[in-house]
Amino acid sequence: MPDKIRTFLACESGATAIEYGLLVALIAVAIVGTFAVLGNSLQVLFDNGAASTLDAANAK
């Protein structure tokens, strides 16, 4: 039984998965924060791009 406990404590695969999960969560928070700060300017940028695309398509 003690051998199984030592093997379990030595196994690091679960720790790696948790680290990757934390990295993904941190990246998600950064993306959400960026959109929250730049939300209005991004909306205007995409609206202008869509309007330009539609204007170009209608001019043909």
Side-chain angles (χ1 to χ4, degrees):
M1 186 70 160
D3 290 335
K4 288 184 179 182
I5 293 173
R6 275 191 227 121
T7 303
F8 175 75
L9 293 175
C11 181
E12 295 183 5
S13 62
T16 302
I18 291 172
E19 290 169 358
Y20 282 126
L22 289 172
L23 282 172
V24 168
L26 180 63
I27 291 169
V29 167
I31 290 171
V32 168
T34 301
F35 283 139
V37 170
L38 302 175
N40 290 335
S41 59
L42 285 176
Q43 182 67 37
V44 170
L45 178 69
F46 285 118
D47 287 343
N48 289 342
S52 298
T53 303
L54 290 174
D55 289 344
N58 290 332
K60 289 184 179 182

